Amino acid sequence: MNASYKDCLLSLAACMEACNVCYHASLKEEQRMMQCIELDRECAEICSYAIGAIQRSSKFVPGILALCADICDACFRECNSHDHRHCKDCAEACRRCAEECRKII
């Protein structure tokens, strides 16, 4: 595994965790949180997949990280539009993750 992936891996894991927290907290909220919930799941899943791809030294890492950054951007925009603390934390983790992914690609 390329040592330059260290910061990206840390950001991917933090983003995955923040999205999962936001997802579970949003499930308890009203219907208006459905878009947030859907993006939290998408983002957590792509972060998890990207971690595995990096660990496997997959030749598809650049494409996976590009997709991950795009999904993180979408999740950032959605979560940042809500006032809940878990959404703000998730938005910040997504912003950082997209930035780190783009450093690699």
Side-chain angles (χ1 to χ4, degrees), residues 63-103:
I64 293 166
L65 292 180
L67 177 60
C68 186
D70 289 346
I71 293 172
C72 284
D73 286 341
C75 195
F76 163 79
R77 287 188 299 275
E78 177 63 27
C79 285
N80 203 44
S81 73
H82 301 289
D83 293 328
H84 307 290
R85 178 80 260 145
H86 58 86
C87 286
K88 295 299 184 188
D89 291 344
C90 186
E92 180 57 23
C94 289
R95 185 198 61 74
R96 283 192 311 267
C97 189
E99 183 179 292
E100 289 298 327
C101 287
R102 288 193 174 100
K103 285 181 185 177

Side-chain angles (χ1 to χ4, degrees), residues 14-102:
C15 187
M16 181 179 63
E17 181 180 348
C19 286
N20 280 326
V21 168
C22 189
Y23 167 79
H24 290 291
S26 294
L27 282 174
K28 298 173 186 166
E29 302 293 332
E30 54 203 64
Q31 181 67 24
R32 68 183 176 85
M33 298 300 289
M34 289 310 295
Q35 180 69 17
C36 185
I37 292 167
E38 290 171 0
L39 282 167
D40 285 337
R41 289 306 317 139
E42 291 290 336
C43 196
E45 291 296 325
I46 192 66
C47 287
S48 176
Y49 189 77
I51 288 168
I54 289 170
Q55 291 170 338
R56 291 186 305 276
S57 297
S58 170
K59 66 181 180 181
F60 300 106
V61 166
I64 293 166
L65 292 180
L67 177 60
C68 186
D70 289 346
I71 293 172
C72 284
D73 286 341
C75 195
F76 163 79
R77 287 188 299 275
E78 177 63 27
C79 285
N80 203 44
S81 73
H82 301 289
D83 293 328
H84 307 290
R85 178 80 260 145
H86 58 86
C87 286
K88 295 299 184 188
D89 291 344
C90 186
E92 180 57 23
C94 289
R95 185 198 61 74
R96 283 192 311 267
C97 189
E99 183 179 292
E100 289 298 327
C101 287
R102 288 193 174 100

